[in-house]
Amino acid sequence: INPGMQLFEKMISGMYLGEIARVVCMELIQNKLLFNGQAGKFSTKDSFQTKFVSDIESHDRYKIDQVINEMGVNASESDIEILKQVCTAVSNRAARLAAAGIAGIVKKTRNYT
């Protein structure tokens, strides 16, 4: 949506976090570092929903297995651990970018209370 516009919002918005995680996973899949190089639905744009990021980060094995099945891949324990790390990294990146934006506004307005 709106290519080249609202880039900061896209880096932190829940609407895009699933797609960011999917792109990272595709890089790992293409380099045969994840799912033995088998992409399943990861090769389809917007197939990895932001809800899936939350489900993977929940560490609830039932939810993780549901995501794996939905994405059509066979995952080893190592693959699941890598997927958890990807989802956590994407979420942490979004949180840090949001915090930086807020800090910038506070600094600019000098409203520290």
Side-chain angles (χ1 to χ4, degrees), residues 48-63:
F48 196 75
Q49 303 168 27
T50 298
K51 175 190 181 309
F52 294 167
V53 173
S54 297
D55 288 345
I56 297 296
E57 283 190 286
S58 75
H59 298 280
D60 179 328
R61 189 54 191 246
Y62 178 75
K63 288 181 180 181

Side-chain angles (χ1 to χ4, degrees), residues 10-42:
K10 290 177 182 175
M11 288 189 280
I12 64 172
S13 169
M15 183 175 175
Y16 298 97
L17 296 183
E19 181 61 9
I20 293 169
R22 185 196 72 83
V23 169
V24 173
C25 287
M26 277 306 300
E27 181 70 23
L28 294 170
I29 291 166
Q30 289 169 350
N31 287 304
K32 299 192 182 343
L33 300 171
L34 188 60
F35 310 129
N36 291 318
Q38 302 302 309
K41 291 183 183 175
F42 279 94

Side-chain angles (χ1 to χ4, degrees), residues 34 61 64-65 74-84:
L34 188 60
R61 189 54 191 246
I64 293 168
D65 288 343
N74 293 318
S76 67
E77 291 302 314
S78 175
D79 290 328
I80 291 170
E81 201 52 46
I82 291 168
L83 189 56
K84 286 178 185 177

Side-chain angles (χ1 to χ4, degrees), residues 5 8 13 39 53 87-88 100 109 111-112:
M5 298 179 70
F8 183 72
S13 169
V53 173
C87 290
T88 299
T109 61
N111 184 1
Y112 302 112

